[in-house]
Structures are given as C-alpha cells and as structure tokens.
Amino acid sequence: MLTLHRARLLHTGTGAGTGTVEDGAVLVDGATVTAIGPFDELAGGPARIREWPGLLVPGLLNRHAAWLLETAYHPDPREERGDRPLLPDGDLTDEQRGGSARRGLQRLLAHGTTALAGPLHRTPVRTAVTRSGLRHLPGPDTGPGPLDPLDPRAGGTLEAALHRPLTVGGAADFAVFAAGTAEELAGGGTRCLATVLDGRLLYRSR
C-alpha cells in the first residue's frame, strides 16, 4: 500500500539547506521510500495520506543499547515506579529481563529511535530486539552518561543523532517531532509524535 506522509517541515538529513523542505512529503511503498519532495508535487495519486503537524526527520540512532537493555531495568507501569530506566534491585530472571527489554524498546520508539548500537549478549534481550524490528548495529556502547539515555539527541546535534538520511530507494525509517525547525531538536527534549520503521507506524503519541 502506498502512503504519503506529509509534514509541515521535512528534514532528510542529506545536508544543511538542501535537505529541508517546507510542506514536505515522503511517499512510502511498503518498507521503501519511493519519492521525497514538496507535498503539492507528490499529492494526487492513489496513496493514503497521513498528515503530521511537526517536523519529519530520519530515524534516530541510540548508542546506549547495552546499558539500556542489559543493565538497566524498565519498570512495568503496574509497579508504579515511573517510566525511567532504573538499576535493578537484584538479579533478574530471563522472563523479567525480556519484559524489561520490551518495555525499554517501546520507550525508545517513543523517542524517535529506529536503530540501536552496542553489544547485546543476553538471549531474552536479543530476542526482544529482533521481534521489535529495530535495527541493531555493531559498535561500542557509550554508557548512560549524565544525560537522558533514552533520547539520542540529548547533549548533541540532530545530525549526530540521525541513523542515516532519508533517500529514495532507502528504508522508510523516520520520526516526527513537535518542532518547527531542525535546530529545535538539537539537545533533546522535544516531544516525539510518531515513529515509522520499515513503513510501519510503530509509535504514535496520544
């Protein structure tokens, strides 16, 4: 099915200025981007249209995967311990670790993350990542650091947080944020409205 994602501002991550389109759109066929450009140029075909009020950018890369999913614990909402990653009180069973990882992955999606980096050794965690569809990349884990480990933009630039640019023929991995400019996304904190991975809407803000 063809889907045309329209956003007030589109930032493809392909370069300053040239990669930004006002009232832009991304045409998606299944899991693949088939066209990028102004909405007026892409509209009028048979595609279903999704309209987003903010800024559409490529999916983000979180470099704290090992700490977030194998060291930290993501509480179940029924525990009433908040939704931030915590250090576990003791050893976790495989079932508890798998549940924690699944909740952590959902919270990563809620921050615009479509890819993770860092070594993953625990079987229930690797299984949860595979089933989530998020892309797992090799590379060192940078640890949690002093800033928000769930937000890839925390303390840095947007360009450094992007997994890869949005390109025609590439994977339909992107996120939409409640921001008016790309500069507003730098450093984190701006609310994620939606995350799309392989053309699938996996997170939408309520």
Coordinates of all heavy atoms in Angstrom, one line a residue, residues 21-108:
V21 N 12.7 20.7 3.4 CA 11.6 21.0 2.5 C 10.4 21.5 3.4 O 9.9 20.8 4.2 CB 11.1 19.8 1.7 CG1 10.0 20.2 0.7 CG2 12.3 19.2 0.9
E22 N 9.9 22.7 3.1 CA 8.6 23.1 3.8 C 7.4 22.5 3.1 O 7.4 22.3 1.9 CB 8.5 24.7 3.6 CG 9.5 25.4 4.5 CD 9.3 26.9 4.5 OE1 8.2 27.3 4.0 OE2 10.2 27.7 4.9
D23 N 6.4 22.1 3.9 CA 5.3 21.3 3.5 C 5.8 20.2 2.6 O 5.4 20.0 1.5 CB 4.3 22.2 2.7 CG 2.9 21.5 2.5 OD1 2.7 20.5 3.2 OD2 2.2 22.0 1.7
G24 N 6.7 19.4 3.2 CA 7.3 18.3 2.5 C 6.5 17.0 2.7 O 5.6 16.9 3.5
A25 N 6.9 16.0 1.9 CA 6.2 14.7 2.0 C 7.2 13.6 1.6 O 8.1 13.8 0.8 CB 5.0 14.7 1.0
V26 N 6.9 12.4 2.2 CA 7.6 11.2 1.9 C 6.6 10.1 1.4 O 5.7 9.8 2.1 CB 8.4 10.7 3.1 CG1 9.1 9.4 2.8 CG2 9.4 11.7 3.6
L27 N 6.8 9.6 0.2 CA 6.0 8.6 -0.3 C 6.6 7.2 0.0 O 7.7 7.0 -0.4 CB 5.8 8.8 -1.9 CG 4.8 7.8 -2.5 CD1 3.4 7.9 -2.0 CD2 4.9 8.0 -4.1
V28 N 5.8 6.4 0.6 CA 6.3 5.1 1.0 C 5.5 4.0 0.4 O 4.2 4.0 0.4 CB 6.2 5.0 2.6 CG1 6.6 3.6 3.0 CG2 7.0 6.0 3.3
D29 N 6.2 3.0 -0.2 CA 5.6 1.8 -0.8 C 6.1 0.6 0.0 O 7.2 0.2 -0.1 CB 5.9 1.7 -2.2 CG 5.2 0.5 -2.9 OD1 4.4 -0.2 -2.2 OD2 5.4 0.3 -4.1
G30 N 5.2 0.1 0.9 CA 5.7 -1.0 1.8 C 6.7 -0.5 2.8 O 6.4 0.4 3.6
A31 N 7.9 -1.0 2.7 CA 9.0 -0.6 3.6 C 10.0 0.4 2.9 O 11.0 0.7 3.6 CB 9.8 -1.9 4.0
T32 N 9.7 0.8 1.7 CA 10.7 1.6 1.0 C 10.2 3.0 0.6 O 9.0 3.2 0.3 CB 11.0 0.9 -0.3 OG1 11.4 -0.5 0.0 CG2 12.1 1.6 -1.1
V33 N 11.1 4.0 0.7 CA 10.8 5.3 0.3 C 10.9 5.4 -1.3 O 11.9 5.0 -1.9 CB 11.8 6.3 0.9 CG1 11.6 7.7 0.3 CG2 11.7 6.4 2.4
T34 N 9.8 5.8 -1.9 CA 9.8 5.9 -3.4 C 9.8 7.3 -3.9 O 10.1 7.5 -5.1 CB 8.5 5.2 -3.9 OG1 7.4 5.8 -3.4 CG2 8.5 3.7 -3.5
A35 N 9.6 8.3 -3.1 CA 9.7 9.7 -3.5 C 9.8 10.6 -2.3 O 9.2 10.3 -1.3 CB 8.5 10.1 -4.4
I36 N 10.5 11.7 -2.5 CA 10.6 12.8 -1.5 C 10.5 14.1 -2.1 O 11.1 14.3 -3.2 CB 12.0 12.6 -0.7 CG1 12.1 11.3 0.0 CG2 12.2 13.8 0.2 CD1 13.5 11.1 0.5
G37 N 9.7 15.0 -1.5 CA 9.7 16.4 -2.1 C 8.5 17.2 -1.6 O 7.9 16.8 -0.6
P38 N 8.2 18.3 -2.2 CA 7.1 19.1 -1.7 C 5.8 18.3 -1.9 O 5.6 17.6 -2.8 CB 7.1 20.3 -2.7 CG 8.5 20.4 -3.2 CD 8.9 19.0 -3.3
F39 N 4.9 18.5 -0.9 CA 3.6 17.8 -0.9 C 2.8 18.0 -2.2 O 2.3 17.1 -2.8 CB 2.8 18.2 0.3 CG 1.4 17.6 0.3 CD1 1.2 16.3 0.6 CD2 0.3 18.4 0.0 CE1 -0.1 15.7 0.6 CE2 -1.0 17.8 0.0 CZ -1.2 16.4 0.3
D40 N 2.8 19.2 -2.7 CA 2.0 19.5 -3.9 C 2.5 18.7 -5.1 O 1.7 18.4 -6.0 CB 2.1 21.0 -4.2 CG 1.3 21.9 -3.2 OD1 0.5 21.3 -2.5 OD2 1.5 23.1 -3.2
E41 N 3.8 18.4 -5.1 CA 4.3 17.7 -6.3 C 4.0 16.2 -6.2 O 4.0 15.5 -7.2 CB 5.8 17.9 -6.4 CG 6.2 19.3 -6.7 CD 7.7 19.5 -6.9 OE1 8.4 18.5 -6.9 OE2 8.1 20.7 -7.0
L42 N 3.8 15.7 -5.0 CA 3.6 14.2 -4.8 C 2.2 13.8 -4.6 O 1.8 12.7 -4.7 CB 4.4 13.7 -3.6 CG 5.9 14.0 -3.6 CD1 6.6 13.4 -2.4 CD2 6.5 13.4 -4.9
A43 N 1.3 14.8 -4.2 CA -0.1 14.5 -4.0 C -0.8 14.3 -5.3 O -0.4 14.5 -6.4 CB -0.8 15.7 -3.2
G44 N -2.0 13.7 -5.1 CA -2.9 13.5 -6.3 C -2.9 12.0 -6.8 O -3.7 11.7 -7.7
G45 N -2.1 11.2 -6.3 CA -2.1 9.8 -6.7 C -3.0 9.0 -5.8 O -3.8 9.5 -5.0
P46 N -2.8 7.6 -5.9 CA -3.7 6.7 -5.1 C -3.3 6.5 -3.7 O -3.9 5.7 -3.0 CB -3.6 5.4 -5.9 CG -2.2 5.5 -6.5 CD -1.9 6.9 -6.8
A47 N -2.2 7.2 -3.2 CA -1.7 6.9 -1.9 C -2.6 7.4 -0.8 O -3.3 8.4 -0.9 CB -0.3 7.6 -1.7
R48 N -2.6 6.6 0.3 CA -3.3 7.1 1.6 C -2.4 8.2 2.1 O -1.2 8.1 2.1 CB -3.4 6.0 2.6 CG -3.9 6.4 3.9 CD -3.8 5.2 4.9 NE -2.5 4.6 5.0 CZ -2.2 3.6 5.9 NH1 -3.2 3.0 6.6 NH2 -1.0 3.2 5.9
I49 N -3.0 9.3 2.7 CA -2.3 10.4 3.2 C -2.3 10.4 4.7 O -3.4 10.4 5.3 CB -2.8 11.7 2.6 CG1 -2.6 11.8 1.1 CG2 -2.1 12.9 3.2 CD1 -3.2 13.0 0.4
R50 N -1.1 10.6 5.3 CA -1.0 10.8 6.8 C -0.4 12.2 6.9 O 0.6 12.5 6.4 CB -0.1 9.8 7.4 CG -0.7 8.4 7.6 CD 0.2 7.6 8.5 NE -0.3 6.2 8.7 CZ -1.2 5.8 9.6 NH1 -1.7 6.7 10.4 NH2 -1.5 4.6 9.7
E51 N -1.1 13.1 7.7 CA -0.6 14.4 7.9 C -0.1 14.6 9.3 O -0.8 14.2 10.2 CB -1.8 15.4 7.6 CG -2.3 15.3 6.1 CD -3.0 16.6 5.7 OE1 -2.8 17.6 6.4 OE2 -3.6 16.6 4.7
W52 N 1.1 15.1 9.4 CA 1.8 15.3 10.7 C 2.0 16.8 10.9 O 2.4 17.5 10.0 CB 3.1 14.6 10.7 CG 3.0 13.1 10.4 CD1 3.4 12.4 9.3 CD2 2.5 12.1 11.3 NE1 3.1 11.1 9.4 CE2 2.5 10.9 10.6 CE3 1.9 12.2 12.6 CZ2 2.1 9.7 11.2 CZ3 1.4 11.0 13.2 CH2 1.6 9.8 12.5
P53 N 1.8 17.3 12.1 CA 1.8 18.7 12.3 C 3.2 19.3 12.6 O 3.4 20.5 12.6 CB 1.0 18.9 13.6 CG 1.1 17.6 14.3 CD 1.2 16.6 13.2
G54 N 4.2 18.4 12.7 CA 5.5 18.9 13.1 C 6.6 18.7 12.1 O 6.4 18.9 10.9
L55 N 7.8 18.3 12.5 CA 9.0 18.1 11.7 C 9.3 16.7 11.5 O 9.4 15.9 12.5 CB 10.2 18.8 12.4 CG 11.6 18.6 11.9 CD1 11.7 19.1 10.5 CD2 12.6 19.3 12.8
L56 N 9.4 16.2 10.3 CA 9.7 14.8 10.0 C 11.2 14.7 9.7 O 11.7 15.5 8.8 CB 8.9 14.4 8.8 CG 8.9 12.9 8.4 CD1 7.6 12.5 7.7 CD2 10.1 12.5 7.6
V57 N 11.9 13.8 10.4 CA 13.3 13.6 10.2 C 13.6 12.1 10.1 O 12.8 11.3 10.4 CB 14.1 14.2 11.4 CG1 13.8 15.7 11.6 CG2 13.7 13.4 12.7
P58 N 14.8 11.7 9.6 CA 15.2 10.3 9.6 C 15.1 9.8 11.0 O 15.3 10.5 12.0 CB 16.6 10.3 9.0 CG 16.7 11.6 8.2 CD 15.8 12.6 9.0
G59 N 15.0 8.4 11.1 CA 15.0 7.8 12.4 C 16.3 8.0 13.1 O 17.4 8.2 12.5
L60 N 16.3 8.0 14.4 CA 17.5 8.2 15.3 C 18.2 7.0 15.7 O 17.6 5.9 15.8 CB 17.0 9.0 16.5 CG 16.2 10.3 16.3 CD1 16.0 11.1 17.6 CD2 16.9 11.2 15.2
L61 N 19.5 7.1 16.0 CA 20.3 6.0 16.4 C 20.6 6.2 17.9 O 21.2 7.2 18.3 CB 21.6 6.0 15.6 CG 22.7 5.1 16.1 CD1 22.3 3.6 16.1 CD2 24.0 5.2 15.3
N62 N 20.3 5.3 18.8 CA 20.6 5.3 20.2 C 21.8 4.5 20.4 O 21.9 3.3 20.1 CB 19.4 4.8 21.0 CG 19.7 5.1 22.5 OD1 20.6 4.5 23.1 ND2 18.8 5.9 23.1
R63 N 22.9 5.1 21.0 CA 24.1 4.4 21.2 C 24.3 3.8 22.6 O 25.4 3.5 23.0 CB 25.3 5.4 20.9 CG 25.3 5.8 19.4 CD 26.4 6.8 19.2 NE 26.7 7.0 17.8 CZ 26.0 7.9 17.0 NH1 25.0 8.6 17.6 NH2 26.2 8.0 15.7
H64 N 23.2 3.7 23.3 CA 23.3 3.2 24.7 C 22.6 1.9 24.9 O 22.1 1.5 25.9 CB 22.7 4.2 25.7 CG 23.2 5.6 25.5 ND1 24.5 5.9 25.6 CD2 22.5 6.8 25.3 CE1 24.7 7.2 25.4 NE2 23.5 7.8 25.3
A65 N 22.5 1.1 23.8 CA 21.7 -0.1 23.8 C 22.0 -1.1 24.9 O 21.2 -1.6 25.6 CB 21.8 -0.8 22.4
A66 N 23.3 -1.4 25.1 CA 23.7 -2.4 26.1 C 23.3 -2.0 27.5 O 22.8 -2.7 28.3 CB 25.2 -2.7 26.0
W67 N 23.6 -0.7 27.8 CA 23.2 -0.2 29.2 C 21.7 -0.2 29.3 O 21.2 -0.7 30.4 CB 23.8 1.2 29.4 CG 23.6 1.6 30.8 CD1 24.4 1.3 31.9 CD2 22.4 2.3 31.4 NE1 23.8 1.8 33.1 CE2 22.6 2.4 32.8 CE3 21.3 2.8 30.8 CZ2 21.7 3.1 33.6 CZ3 20.4 3.5 31.6 CH2 20.6 3.6 33.0
L68 N 21.0 0.3 28.4 CA 19.6 0.5 28.5 C 18.8 -0.9 28.6 O 17.9 -1.0 29.3 CB 19.0 1.3 27.3 CG 19.1 2.8 27.4 CD1 18.8 3.4 26.0 CD2 18.2 3.4 28.4
L69 N 19.3 -1.9 27.8 CA 18.5 -3.1 27.7 C 19.1 -4.3 28.5 O 18.4 -5.2 28.9 CB 18.4 -3.5 26.2 CG 17.8 -2.5 25.3 CD1 17.7 -3.0 23.9 CD2 16.3 -2.2 25.8
E70 N 20.4 -4.2 28.8 CA 21.0 -5.3 29.5 C 21.5 -5.0 31.0 O 21.6 -5.9 31.8 CB 22.2 -5.9 28.8 CG 21.8 -6.4 27.4 CD 22.8 -7.5 26.9 OE1 24.0 -7.5 27.2 OE2 22.3 -8.4 26.2
T71 N 21.6 -3.7 31.3 CA 22.0 -3.3 32.6 C 20.8 -2.7 33.4 O 20.5 -3.0 34.5 CB 23.2 -2.3 32.6 OG1 24.3 -2.9 32.0 CG2 23.5 -1.8 34.0
A72 N 20.2 -1.7 32.7 CA 19.0 -1.0 33.4 C 17.8 -1.9 33.4 O 17.7 -2.9 32.7 CB 18.8 0.3 32.6
Y73 N 16.8 -1.5 34.2 CA 15.5 -2.1 34.3 C 14.5 -1.1 34.0 O 14.5 0.0 34.5 CB 15.3 -2.7 35.7 CG 14.0 -3.3 36.0 CD1 13.6 -4.4 35.3 CD2 13.0 -2.6 36.8 CE1 12.3 -5.0 35.5 CE2 11.8 -3.2 37.0 CZ 11.4 -4.3 36.4 OH 10.2 -4.9 36.6
H74 N 13.5 -1.5 33.1 CA 12.4 -0.6 32.8 C 11.2 -1.1 33.5 O 10.6 -2.2 33.2 CB 12.2 -0.7 31.3 CG 13.4 -0.1 30.5 ND1 13.5 1.2 30.2 CD2 14.5 -0.8 30.1 CE1 14.7 1.4 29.6 NE2 15.3 0.2 29.5
P75 N 10.7 -0.4 34.5 CA 9.6 -0.9 35.3 C 8.3 -1.1 34.6 O 8.0 -0.3 33.6 CB 9.4 0.3 36.4 CG 10.7 1.1 36.3 CD 11.2 0.9 34.9
D76 N 7.6 -2.0 35.0 CA 6.2 -2.2 34.5 C 5.3 -1.1 35.1 O 5.5 -0.8 36.3 CB 5.7 -3.6 35.0 CG 4.4 -4.0 34.4 OD1 3.4 -3.2 34.5 OD2 4.3 -5.1 33.8
P77 N 4.4 -0.5 34.3 CA 3.6 0.5 34.8 C 2.8 0.1 36.1 O 2.5 1.0 37.0 CB 2.6 0.8 33.7 CG 3.3 0.4 32.4 CD 4.2 -0.7 32.8
R78 N 2.5 -1.2 36.2 CA 1.8 -1.6 37.4 C 2.6 -1.5 38.7 O 2.1 -1.6 39.8 CB 1.3 -3.1 37.2 CG 0.2 -3.2 36.1 CD 0.0 -4.6 35.7 NE 1.2 -5.3 35.1 CZ 1.2 -6.5 34.6 NH1 0.1 -7.2 34.6 NH2 2.3 -7.0 34.0
E79 N 3.9 -1.4 38.5 CA 4.8 -1.3 39.7 C 4.8 0.1 40.3 O 5.3 0.3 41.4 CB 6.2 -1.7 39.3 CG 6.4 -3.1 38.8 CD 7.9 -3.4 38.4 OE1 8.7 -3.4 39.3 OE2 8.1 -3.5 37.2
E80 N 4.3 1.1 39.5 CA 4.2 2.5 39.9 C 5.6 3.0 40.4 O 5.7 3.7 41.4 CB 3.2 2.6 41.1 CG 1.8 2.2 40.7 CD 0.7 2.5 41.8 OE1 1.1 2.8 42.9 OE2 -0.5 2.4 41.5
R81 N 6.6 2.7 39.5 CA 7.9 3.2 39.7 C 8.4 4.2 38.7 O 9.6 4.4 38.5 CB 8.9 2.0 39.9 CG 8.6 1.1 41.0 CD 9.5 -0.1 41.0 NE 10.9 0.2 41.2 CZ 11.9 -0.7 41.1 NH1 11.7 -1.9 40.7 NH2 13.1 -0.3 41.4
G82 N 7.4 4.7 37.9 CA 7.8 5.6 36.8 C 8.1 4.9 35.5 O 8.0 3.7 35.4
D83 N 8.5 5.7 34.5 CA 8.8 5.1 33.2 C 10.3 5.4 32.8 O 10.6 5.3 31.7 CB 7.9 5.7 32.2 CG 8.0 7.2 32.0 OD1 8.8 7.8 32.8 OD2 7.3 7.8 31.2
R84 N 11.1 5.7 33.8 CA 12.6 5.9 33.6 C 13.4 4.6 33.8 O 13.0 3.8 34.7 CB 13.1 7.0 34.4 CG 12.3 8.3 34.3 CD 12.3 8.9 32.9 NE 13.7 9.1 32.4 CZ 14.0 9.3 31.2 NH1 13.0 9.3 30.3 NH2 15.2 9.5 30.8
P85 N 14.4 4.4 33.1 CA 15.3 3.2 33.4 C 15.9 3.3 34.8 O 16.4 4.4 35.1 CB 16.3 3.2 32.3 CG 16.3 4.6 31.8 CD 14.9 5.1 32.0
L86 N 15.9 2.2 35.5 CA 16.5 2.1 36.8 C 17.5 1.0 36.9 O 17.5 0.1 36.1 CB 15.4 1.9 37.9 CG 14.1 2.7 37.9 CD1 13.1 2.1 38.8 CD2 14.5 4.2 38.3
L87 N 18.4 1.1 37.9 CA 19.2 -0.1 38.2 C 18.4 -1.1 38.9 O 17.7 -0.7 39.9 CB 20.5 0.4 39.0 CG 21.5 1.2 38.2 CD1 22.6 1.6 39.1 CD2 22.0 0.4 37.0
P88 N 18.4 -2.4 38.5 CA 17.6 -3.4 39.2 C 18.0 -3.6 40.6 O 19.2 -3.4 41.0 CB 17.8 -4.6 38.3 CG 19.1 -4.4 37.7 CD 19.2 -2.9 37.4
D89 N 17.1 -4.0 41.5 CA 17.4 -4.2 42.9 C 18.2 -5.5 43.1 O 18.9 -5.6 44.1 CB 16.0 -4.4 43.7 CG 15.2 -3.1 43.6 OD1 15.8 -2.0 43.5 OD2 14.0 -3.2 43.6
G90 N 18.2 -6.4 42.1 CA 18.9 -7.7 42.2 C 19.0 -8.3 40.9 O 18.7 -7.7 39.8
D91 N 19.4 -9.6 40.8 CA 19.4 -10.3 39.6 C 18.0 -10.5 39.0 O 17.1 -10.8 39.8 CB 20.1 -11.7 39.8 CG 21.6 -11.5 40.1 OD1 22.2 -10.5 39.8 OD2 22.1 -12.5 40.7
L92 N 17.9 -10.4 37.7 CA 16.6 -10.6 37.0 C 16.6 -11.9 36.4 O 17.6 -12.4 35.9 CB 16.4 -9.5 36.0 CG 16.4 -8.0 36.5 CD1 16.2 -7.1 35.3 CD2 15.3 -7.8 37.5
T93 N 15.4 -12.5 36.4 CA 15.2 -13.8 35.6 C 15.2 -13.4 34.1 O 15.0 -12.3 33.8 CB 13.9 -14.5 36.0 OG1 12.8 -13.6 35.6 CG2 13.9 -14.7 37.5
D94 N 15.3 -14.5 33.3 CA 15.2 -14.2 31.8 C 13.8 -13.6 31.5 O 13.7 -12.8 30.6 CB 15.4 -15.5 31.1 CG 16.8 -15.9 31.0 OD1 17.7 -15.2 31.4 OD2 17.1 -17.1 30.5
E95 N 12.8 -14.1 32.2 CA 11.4 -13.5 31.9 C 11.4 -12.1 32.2 O 10.8 -11.2 31.5 CB 10.4 -14.3 32.6 CG 9.0 -13.9 32.4 CD 7.9 -14.7 33.1 OE1 8.3 -15.6 33.8 OE2 6.7 -14.4 33.0
Q96 N 11.9 -11.7 33.4 CA 11.9 -10.3 33.8 C 12.8 -9.5 32.9 O 12.4 -8.3 32.5 CB 12.4 -10.2 35.3 CG 11.5 -10.7 36.3 CD 12.1 -10.8 37.7 OE1 13.3 -11.1 37.8 NE2 11.3 -10.5 38.7
R97 N 13.9 -10.0 32.5 CA 14.8 -9.3 31.6 C 14.2 -9.0 30.2 O 14.3 -8.0 29.7 CB 16.1 -10.0 31.4 CG 17.2 -9.4 30.5 CD 17.6 -8.0 31.0 NE 18.3 -8.0 32.3 CZ 18.6 -6.9 33.0 NH1 18.2 -5.7 32.5 NH2 19.2 -7.0 34.1
G98 N 13.5 -10.1 29.7 CA 12.8 -9.9 28.4 C 11.7 -8.9 28.5 O 11.5 -8.1 27.6
G99 N 10.9 -8.9 29.6 CA 9.8 -7.9 29.8 C 10.4 -6.5 29.9 O 9.8 -5.6 29.3
S100 N 11.5 -6.4 30.6 CA 12.1 -5.1 30.8 C 12.6 -4.5 29.4 O 12.4 -3.4 29.1 CB 13.3 -5.2 31.8 OG 14.1 -4.0 31.7
A101 N 13.2 -5.4 28.6 CA 13.7 -5.0 27.3 C 12.6 -4.6 26.4 O 12.7 -3.6 25.7 CB 14.5 -6.2 26.7
R102 N 11.5 -5.3 26.4 CA 10.4 -5.0 25.6 C 9.8 -3.6 25.9 O 9.5 -2.8 25.1 CB 9.3 -6.0 25.6 CG 9.6 -7.4 25.0 CD 8.5 -8.3 24.9 NE 8.0 -8.8 26.2 CZ 8.5 -9.8 26.8 NH1 9.5 -10.5 26.3 NH2 8.0 -10.2 28.0
R103 N 9.7 -3.3 27.2 CA 9.2 -2.0 27.7 C 10.2 -0.9 27.3 O 9.9 0.2 26.8 CB 9.0 -2.0 29.2 CG 7.8 -2.9 29.6 CD 7.4 -2.7 31.0 NE 8.5 -3.2 31.9 CZ 8.5 -4.5 32.4 NH1 7.6 -5.4 32.0 NH2 9.5 -4.9 33.2
G104 N 11.5 -1.2 27.4 CA 12.6 -0.3 27.1 C 12.5 0.0 25.6 O 12.7 1.2 25.2
L105 N 12.3 -1.0 24.7 CA 12.2 -0.8 23.3 C 11.0 0.1 22.9 O 11.1 1.0 22.0 CB 12.2 -2.1 22.6 CG 13.5 -2.9 22.6 CD1 13.2 -4.4 22.3 CD2 14.5 -2.3 21.7
Q106 N 9.9 -0.1 23.6 CA 8.8 0.8 23.3 C 9.1 2.2 23.7 O 8.7 3.2 23.0 CB 7.5 0.3 24.1 CG 6.9 -1.0 23.5 CD 6.4 -0.7 22.1 OE1 5.8 0.3 21.8 NE2 6.8 -1.6 21.2
R107 N 9.8 2.4 24.8 CA 10.2 3.8 25.2 C 11.2 4.4 24.3 O 11.2 5.6 24.1 CB 10.7 3.8 26.7 CG 9.5 3.5 27.6 CD 9.9 3.0 29.0 NE 8.7 2.6 29.7 CZ 8.7 1.9 30.9 NH1 9.9 1.5 31.4 NH2 7.6 1.6 31.5
L108 N 12.0 3.6 23.7 CA 13.0 4.1 22.7 C 12.2 4.5 21.4 O 12.5 5.6 20.8 CB 14.0 3.0 22.3 CG 15.1 2.8 23.4 CD1 15.8 1.5 23.1 CD2 16.0 3.9 23.5

